[in-house]
Amino acid sequence: MPRDLVIDLHTHSNASDGTDSPAGLVAAAAAAGVDVVALTDHDTTAGWAEAGAAARRLGVVLVPGTEFSARSNGISVHLLSYLHDPAHQALVLQNAEVQAARTERARHMVDRLSRDYAITWEDVLAQTEPGTTIGRPHIADALVALGYLTDRSAAFTSILRPGTPYYVPHVAPDGIEVIRAVRDAGGVPVFAHPGADGRGRVVPDTVIEEMADAGLVGLEVRHRDNSQAQQVRLAEIARSLGLIMTGSSDYHGTGKPNRLAENTTHPDVFAQIEELGRSEVIRQ
């Protein structure tokens, strides 16, 4: 009897805040025995072409996607979109605006840090590739390279965490607007790690209901940042609203401890995503 497909629908390359190149990410997925992997870099599709070429070469199925930054009632939320049209004007403009806001925010944070640490904007840029969506992880990498911290995780739990003098909140569009734009672009929106209360406040059930009314397709239930209690809550919400449930790693290479396929998605759910999306899944 053939084994079930191993499907990981949330990963990042160095087109945003991962440490693997898009091709390197696909190679890592192949080496880890992953059959289907989604590339979901933050607010960009820049890695799609390179990852697609690697997927065809290595025999991995690639799901092109993006993790969109959004906010809901002052709470930061992330929305995964699968198989949307990368040339859709509303999403292209949204990505450009969010990337510009991310860069401005990062500059402000570096300015604040420079009062107490010998860090410059050039130090941060040295941790990126051309076209990278710049954010806190790259500031963390710069602080590590300069010898102030041991790794990204240490930066996020100390110097760069919310509430410190160096932290600057980020600007992002409303979650409902993002969901509607994704659906208009033929994408399949799934709420990423919606129960990650260790990162800060999470949205209440009523907001998820509003998102479902706007076109949300699913919830990322199985994720290391959703506690067991949150996973039970989210599964109940998904069942009551008729939403699909996914599981993913949120892999960032060496940028986070998350390992490929530490959580996975059922093949039937992947089939639903593929059927709903406008763009093609990339196969050998």
Side-chain angles (χ1 to χ4, degrees):
M1 184 176 181
R3 66 176 177 83
D4 286 339
L5 292 175
V6 177
I7 302 168
D8 189 340
L9 295 181
H10 186 172
T11 70
H12 297 273
S13 76
N14 62 8
S16 65
D17 56 344
T19 58
D20 296 341
S21 68
L25 166 66
V26 175
V34 176
D35 301 292
V36 181
V37 64
L39 176 62
T40 52
D41 282 318
H42 291 281
D43 306 300
T44 185
T45 61
W48 284 17
E50 181 184 326
R56 290 189 180 94
R57 185 174 68 252
L58 296 171
V60 175
V61 176
L62 177 73
V63 183
T66 298
E67 184 172 7
F68 290 107
S69 304
R71 297 191 76 80
S72 177
N73 300 320
I75 300 173
S76 175
V77 297
H78 288 174
L79 293 161
L80 297 162
S81 173
Y82 304 112
L83 303 176
H84 56 273
D85 175 3
H88 188 270
Q89 186 175 16
L91 289 186
V92 170
L93 291 173
Q94 176 183 288
N95 281 346
E97 290 171 358
V98 170
Q99 287 180 24
R102 279 180 174 273
T103 300
E104 183 178 3
R105 174 209 192 196
R107 281 185 173 276
H108 285 318
M109 292 186 72
V110 172
D111 286 344
R112 293 184 179 188
L113 284 161
S114 67
R115 301 168 192 165
D116 299 312
Y117 300 90
I119 184 173
T120 66
W121 184 243
E122 287 67 31
D123 293 324
V124 176
L125 292 180
Q127 303 301 318
T128 69
E129 297 292 329
T132 296
T133 299
I134 300 174
R136 276 194 303 161
H138 306 105
I139 301 174
D141 290 345
L143 289 167
V144 170
L146 292 167
Y148 290 114
L149 295 161
T150 55
D151 54 39
R152 275 190 189 178
S153 296
F156 275 87
T157 57
S158 59
I159 297 173
L160 300 183
R161 66 176 174 79
T164 69
Y166 314 113
Y167 181 83
V168 176
H170 69 84
V171 177
D174 180 73
I176 298 294
E177 294 177 7
V178 174
I179 290 168
R180 288 174 177 157
V182 166
R183 291 306 298 265
D184 192 47
V188 184
V190 171
F191 193 166
H193 40 71
D197 47 16
R199 301 186 181 199
R201 292 186 297 152
V202 298
V203 300
D205 297 7
T206 53
V207 170
I208 298 178
E209 292 168 7
E210 292 169 2
M211 288 179 171
D213 289 340
L216 184 71
V217 171
L219 300 177
E220 187 180 51
V221 174
R222 293 175 298 282
H223 185 288
R224 69 158 54 204
D225 290 349
N226 295 333
S227 67
Q228 190 59 45
Q230 285 287 355
Q231 290 187 34
V232 170
R233 165 188 169 248
L234 294 168
E236 290 175 351
I237 294 171
R239 283 190 288 267
S240 69
L241 297 176
L243 302 175
I244 64 172
M245 291 182 274
T246 66
S248 311
S249 67
D250 200 358
Y251 173 77
H252 284 70
T254 59
K256 284 185 177 182
N258 309 41
R259 296 296 89 196
L260 282 161
E262 65 180 32
N263 291 292
T264 58
T265 295
H266 194 278
D268 290 346
V269 173
F270 167 57
Q272 289 179 262
I273 292 172
E274 183 173 11
E275 183 178 355
L276 288 170
R278 181 176 300 170
S279 294
E280 296 291 326
V281 167
I282 297 173
R283 290 182 166 85
Q284 194 172 36

